[in-house]
Amino acid sequence: MRTVIQRVARASVTIDGKTKSQISSGMLILLGICEEDGKEDIEWLVKKIVNLRIFDDEKGVMNKSILEVDGDIMVVSQFTLYASYKKGNRPSWFKAAKPEISTPLYQLFCNEMSQAINKQVATGEFGADMKVELINDGPVTICMDTKNKE
């Protein structure tokens, strides 16, 4: 699994001109899933993300986690994180998992994340043409890949 984690002041997802979901201060997580991913990748990512100290403490130092600041989380599926761009100029996404694999893993990731932060996670809509709007706070943007844990 690959993620792009952005600390946000706010974020929203709009589909067909209607707001699907929105959050205030917290994290926007773009999530890409490949064929080899499974429950162990979800468990590792959720634990890592909820304990990631990217929020400011009283001294303005990034020393607090999403749990400590009671922030919101939005998770948006993002198969393009598995773009292959080595040949030519048109990317391909053959490494991204097919919907029959990625849809249940995306849902499981969102459920596990909701349990970890003890509140509902905002989502996009898997496979939809979404307009994602955010105000990146910092900016703070971190990429994680479960294939590069060490």
Side-chain angles (χ1 to χ4, degrees):
M1 289 186 170
R2 289 184 180 162
T3 60
V4 175
I5 302 157
Q6 298 181 77
R7 186 178 77 182
V8 297
R10 68 177 181 265
S12 65
V13 172
T14 302
I15 302 169
D16 295 328
K18 297 178 184 157
T19 301
K20 159 82 167 94
S21 59
Q22 58 189 7
I23 63 168
S24 55
S25 180
M27 293 177 175
L28 169 63
I29 301 170
L30 304 176
L31 179 69
I33 300 168
C34 75
E35 297 283 335
E36 297 84 37
D37 290 332
K39 188 165 174 48
E40 59 282 346
D41 295 289
I42 291 170
E43 291 168 354
W44 184 85
L45 259 183
V46 168
K47 183 178 179 184
K48 196 71 167 171
I49 291 170
V50 299
N51 290 297
L52 197 60
R53 298 184 321 172
I54 61 170
F55 294 92
D56 293 346
D57 64 13
E58 299 73 27
K59 295 179 182 175
V61 177
M62 285 194 286
N63 203 25
K64 290 189 172 191
S65 71
I66 192 86
L67 298 170
E68 294 171 295
V69 299
D70 193 31
D72 294 328
I73 292 182
M74 176 180 285
V75 181
V76 175
S77 62
Q78 188 75 40
F79 75 94
T80 60
L81 291 177
Y82 278 98
S84 177
Y85 46 83
K86 296 193 185 213
K87 278 174 76 174
N89 293 315
R90 182 179 176 164
S92 67
W93 292 278
F94 67 91
K95 293 180 181 178
K98 305 285 184 269
E100 55 271 11
I101 293 172
S102 54
T103 302
L105 288 175
Y106 170 75
Q107 292 168 343
L108 183 59
F109 180 87
C110 292
N111 291 339
E112 294 288 322
M113 187 62 75
S114 289
Q115 289 179 2
I117 65 169
N118 203 26
K119 65 165 96 171
Q120 189 63 39
V121 168
T123 63
E125 184 176 308
F126 195 89
D129 181 14
M130 298 175 276
K131 306 301 180 221
V132 180
E133 191 172 3
L134 69 132
I135 296 185
N136 194 315
D137 183 14
V140 175
T141 302
I142 296 173
C143 300
M144 285 188 192
D145 190 321
T146 59
K147 306 305 182 255
N148 297 323
K149 294 178 185 170
E150 297 168 30

